[in-house]
Amino acid sequence: EPFSIEKIRLDDTPELEQMSKFCIGMFFNQGNASVNDASISSGWRNLKLIAMHKAQMMDFSMPTGGNRSIFVAKKQCSEKIVGCCEVTEEMLDMSLLDTDESATETSNTRKKNARMRPIIENLSVHPNYRRKGVGVQLVNACENAVQSWIPKHEEIYAQVEEGNAPAINLFRQCGYTSLFVDPTCRKVTLDGTLFAENTIVSKIMLRKFVFNEDMQYF
Protein backbone atom coordinates (compact mmCIF):
# COMPACT_ATOMS: atom_id res chain seq x y z
CA GLU A 1 0.00 0.00 0.00
CA PRO A 2 1.41 3.45 -0.91
CA PHE A 3 2.86 5.63 1.83
CA SER A 4 4.33 9.10 2.07
CA ILE A 5 7.04 10.68 4.25
CA GLU A 6 6.09 13.86 6.10
CA LYS A 7 8.09 16.20 8.29
CA ILE A 8 6.41 17.18 11.55
CA ARG A 9 6.74 20.74 12.76
CA LEU A 10 8.10 20.91 16.29
CA ASP A 11 5.14 23.09 17.30
CA ASP A 12 2.52 20.72 15.87
CA THR A 13 1.42 19.10 19.12
CA PRO A 14 -1.35 16.86 17.68
CA GLU A 15 1.04 15.33 15.13
CA LEU A 16 3.77 14.91 17.74
CA GLU A 17 1.24 13.20 20.00
CA GLN A 18 0.45 10.65 17.30
CA MET A 19 4.09 10.10 16.46
CA SER A 20 4.99 9.57 20.13
CA LYS A 21 2.19 7.05 20.70
CA PHE A 22 3.25 5.13 17.61
CA CYS A 23 6.94 5.17 18.53
CA ILE A 24 6.42 4.00 22.10
CA GLY A 25 3.95 1.37 20.93
CA MET A 26 6.49 -0.05 18.48
CA PHE A 27 9.32 -0.18 20.99
CA PHE A 28 7.40 -1.53 23.95
CA ASN A 29 4.29 -3.33 22.65
CA GLN A 30 5.37 -4.88 19.35
CA GLY A 31 8.46 -6.17 17.60
CA ASN A 32 10.99 -4.53 19.91
CA ALA A 33 9.04 -5.14 23.11
CA SER A 34 11.02 -5.24 26.33
CA VAL A 35 8.02 -5.87 28.57
CA ASN A 36 7.67 -9.18 30.36
CA ASP A 37 3.93 -9.74 30.80
CA ALA A 38 4.62 -12.43 33.37
CA SER A 39 6.40 -10.00 35.69
CA ILE A 40 4.06 -7.00 35.64
CA SER A 41 0.34 -6.53 35.21
CA SER A 42 -1.02 -5.06 31.99
CA GLY A 43 -2.59 -2.21 33.96
CA TRP A 44 0.71 -1.23 35.55
CA ARG A 45 2.43 -1.55 32.19
CA ASN A 46 -0.12 0.76 30.56
CA LEU A 47 0.48 3.37 33.24
CA LYS A 48 4.19 3.17 32.48
CA LEU A 49 3.55 3.59 28.76
CA ILE A 50 1.37 6.65 29.37
CA ALA A 51 4.06 8.19 31.55
CA MET A 52 6.73 7.49 28.92
CA HIS A 53 4.54 9.14 26.30
CA LYS A 54 4.21 12.24 28.48
CA ALA A 55 7.97 12.28 29.08
CA GLN A 56 8.64 12.10 25.35
CA MET A 57 6.19 14.94 24.69
CA MET A 58 8.00 17.01 27.30
CA ASP A 59 11.28 16.22 25.55
CA PHE A 60 9.82 17.42 22.25
CA SER A 61 8.86 20.73 23.88
CA MET A 62 12.29 21.37 25.40
CA PRO A 63 15.00 23.27 23.50
CA THR A 64 17.70 20.87 22.33
CA GLY A 65 20.48 23.39 21.82
CA GLY A 66 20.79 22.28 18.21
CA ASN A 67 18.93 21.22 15.09
CA ARG A 68 16.17 18.61 15.17
CA SER A 69 13.91 17.12 12.49
CA ILE A 70 11.12 14.57 12.99
CA PHE A 71 9.55 12.48 10.24
CA VAL A 72 6.65 10.06 9.92
CA ALA A 73 5.58 7.64 7.22
CA LYS A 74 1.83 7.61 6.60
CA LYS A 75 -0.53 5.42 4.60
CA GLN A 76 -1.78 7.61 1.80
CA CYS A 77 -5.34 6.35 2.02
CA SER A 78 -5.88 6.84 5.75
CA GLU A 79 -3.10 9.10 7.05
CA LYS A 80 -2.29 6.37 9.58
CA ILE A 81 1.31 6.42 10.80
CA VAL A 82 3.29 3.33 9.80
CA GLY A 83 6.81 4.55 10.59
CA CYS A 84 8.72 7.33 12.29
CA CYS A 85 12.20 8.60 13.12
CA GLU A 86 14.04 11.74 14.10
CA VAL A 87 17.48 13.20 13.61
CA THR A 88 18.95 15.58 16.13
CA GLU A 89 22.24 17.20 17.03
CA GLU A 90 23.67 15.67 20.19
CA MET A 91 26.98 15.76 22.01
CA LEU A 92 28.79 12.65 20.74
CA ASP A 93 32.37 11.45 21.07
CA MET A 94 33.72 9.31 18.23
CA SER A 95 37.13 8.47 19.70
CA LEU A 96 38.04 4.83 20.20
CA LEU A 97 37.04 3.26 23.50
CA ASP A 98 39.62 2.48 26.18
CA THR A 99 39.00 -1.15 27.02
CA ASP A 100 40.99 -0.80 30.26
CA GLU A 101 38.50 1.69 31.69
CA SER A 102 35.29 0.78 33.47
CA ALA A 103 31.97 1.56 31.79
CA THR A 104 31.49 4.56 34.09
CA GLU A 105 35.00 5.92 33.44
CA THR A 106 34.58 5.47 29.70
CA SER A 107 31.20 7.23 29.74
CA ASN A 108 32.65 10.19 31.64
CA THR A 109 35.62 10.44 29.26
CA ARG A 110 33.35 10.38 26.22
CA LYS A 111 31.24 13.21 27.63
CA LYS A 112 34.35 15.37 28.01
CA ASN A 113 35.48 14.75 24.42
CA ALA A 114 32.05 15.07 22.79
CA ARG A 115 30.93 17.62 20.21
CA MET A 116 27.66 18.27 18.41
CA ARG A 117 26.93 15.69 15.74
CA PRO A 118 23.72 14.57 13.98
CA ILE A 119 22.33 11.19 15.00
CA ILE A 120 19.24 9.30 13.84
CA GLU A 121 17.02 8.06 16.66
CA ASN A 122 13.67 6.40 17.31
CA LEU A 123 13.52 4.70 13.93
CA SER A 124 10.39 2.52 14.05
CA VAL A 125 8.34 0.82 11.35
CA HIS A 126 5.08 -1.08 11.78
CA PRO A 127 5.64 -4.84 11.27
CA ASN A 128 3.25 -4.89 8.30
CA TYR A 129 5.36 -2.26 6.52
CA ARG A 130 8.83 -3.61 7.12
CA ARG A 131 10.96 -4.54 4.11
CA LYS A 132 8.82 -2.29 1.92
CA GLY A 133 11.14 0.72 1.77
CA VAL A 134 9.62 2.68 4.65
CA GLY A 135 12.74 2.55 6.83
CA VAL A 136 15.02 3.48 3.94
CA GLN A 137 12.92 6.49 3.01
CA LEU A 138 12.79 7.66 6.63
CA VAL A 139 16.59 7.45 6.84
CA ASN A 140 16.88 9.32 3.53
CA ALA A 141 14.61 12.07 4.87
CA CYS A 142 16.88 12.46 7.90
CA GLU A 143 19.97 12.66 5.70
CA ASN A 144 18.38 15.32 3.47
CA ALA A 145 17.42 17.35 6.53
CA VAL A 146 20.97 17.29 7.90
CA GLN A 147 22.39 18.56 4.62
CA SER A 148 20.29 21.73 4.99
CA TRP A 149 21.30 22.41 8.60
CA ILE A 150 23.57 25.19 9.76
CA PRO A 151 26.26 24.49 10.85
CA LYS A 152 26.95 21.96 8.12
CA HIS A 153 27.99 18.39 8.91
CA GLU A 154 30.18 15.97 7.00
CA GLU A 155 28.82 12.90 8.74
CA ILE A 156 25.61 11.48 10.15
CA TYR A 157 25.41 8.78 12.81
CA ALA A 158 23.11 6.08 14.10
CA GLN A 159 23.36 3.92 17.20
CA VAL A 160 21.73 0.50 17.24
CA GLU A 161 21.56 -2.14 19.95
CA GLU A 162 24.11 -4.84 19.18
CA GLY A 163 21.55 -7.64 18.79
CA ASN A 164 19.13 -5.71 16.56
CA ALA A 165 20.16 -7.31 13.26
CA PRO A 166 17.25 -5.90 11.15
CA ALA A 167 18.07 -2.30 12.12
CA ILE A 168 21.80 -2.82 11.61
CA ASN A 169 21.17 -4.30 8.17
CA LEU A 170 18.87 -1.41 7.27
CA PHE A 171 21.51 1.20 8.05
CA ARG A 172 24.17 -0.76 6.22
CA GLN A 173 21.84 -0.95 3.23
CA CYS A 174 21.68 2.85 3.39
CA GLY A 175 25.49 3.12 3.27
CA TYR A 176 26.40 3.25 6.98
CA THR A 177 29.48 1.51 8.29
CA SER A 178 30.15 0.28 11.82
CA LEU A 179 32.68 2.26 13.86
CA PHE A 180 32.74 0.54 17.24
CA VAL A 181 30.60 -1.09 19.92
CA ASP A 182 29.86 1.18 22.88
CA PRO A 183 29.20 -0.88 26.06
CA THR A 184 28.24 2.22 28.10
CA CYS A 185 24.82 2.88 26.53
CA ARG A 186 21.58 2.85 28.46
CA LYS A 187 18.18 1.43 27.55
CA VAL A 188 14.85 2.07 29.24
CA THR A 189 12.89 -1.09 30.03
CA LEU A 190 9.51 -1.63 31.65
CA ASP A 191 10.33 -4.99 33.18
CA GLY A 192 9.95 -5.54 36.88
CA THR A 193 8.01 -3.67 39.52
CA LEU A 194 9.77 -0.31 39.32
CA PHE A 195 8.26 2.45 37.21
CA ALA A 196 10.99 2.30 34.57
CA GLU A 197 14.52 0.99 34.66
CA ASN A 198 17.72 1.99 32.90
CA THR A 199 19.85 -0.97 31.95
CA ILE A 200 23.33 -0.83 30.44
CA VAL A 201 23.52 -2.29 26.94
CA SER A 202 26.04 -2.44 24.12
CA LYS A 203 25.22 -0.49 20.97
CA ILE A 204 26.93 -0.29 17.61
CA MET A 205 27.82 3.21 16.44
CA LEU A 206 27.40 3.59 12.66
CA ARG A 207 28.42 6.45 10.40
CA LYS A 208 27.76 7.71 6.89
CA PHE A 209 29.46 10.59 5.10
CA VAL A 210 26.93 13.01 3.66
CA PHE A 211 27.22 15.32 0.69
CA ASN A 212 25.96 18.77 -0.17
CA GLU A 213 26.98 21.46 -2.62
CA ASP A 214 29.64 22.82 -0.24
CA MET A 215 31.24 19.45 0.52
CA GLN A 216 32.75 16.43 -1.14
CA TYR A 217 32.62 12.83 -0.04
CA PHE A 218 35.47 11.94 2.30
Side-chain angles (χ1 to χ4, degrees), residues 184-200:
T184 68
C185 298
R186 294 186 178 273
K187 173 183 177 180
V188 176
T189 71
L190 303 184
D191 296 324
T193 57
L194 296 178
F195 176 74
E197 299 178 10
N198 276 308
T199 59
I200 296 178

Side-chain angles (χ1 to χ4, degrees), residues 4-91:
S4 60
I5 306 296
E6 299 180 10
K7 182 178 180 179
I8 299 179
R9 298 196 322 270
L10 298 181
D11 61 353
D12 191 339
T13 301
E15 284 291 323
L16 290 173
E17 289 268 4
Q18 294 301 314
M19 178 270 187
S20 174
K21 290 177 181 178
F22 173 84
C23 180
I24 291 174
M26 288 297 102
F27 277 106
F28 293 102
N29 280 341
Q30 303 184 50
N32 302 318
S34 60
V35 176
N36 183 353
D37 288 331
S39 64
I40 57 175
S41 69
S42 59
W44 182 227
R45 180 188 66 186
N46 289 336
L47 287 176
K48 293 181 179 183
L49 293 174
I50 291 171
M52 290 193 68
H53 166 64
K54 290 183 177 179
Q56 188 174 48
M57 290 302 298
M58 183 177 295
D59 175 67
F60 287 152
S61 68
M62 299 288 288
T64 63
N67 291 295
R68 186 179 203 172
S69 299
I70 301 175
F71 298 92
V72 294
K74 290 184 176 181
K75 295 171 62 175
Q76 290 185 353
C77 62
S78 65
E79 291 290 297
K80 180 180 179 181
I81 294 177
V82 296
C84 69
C85 70
E86 64 175 297
V87 59
T88 183
E89 286 179 317
E90 291 186 3
M91 296 296 290

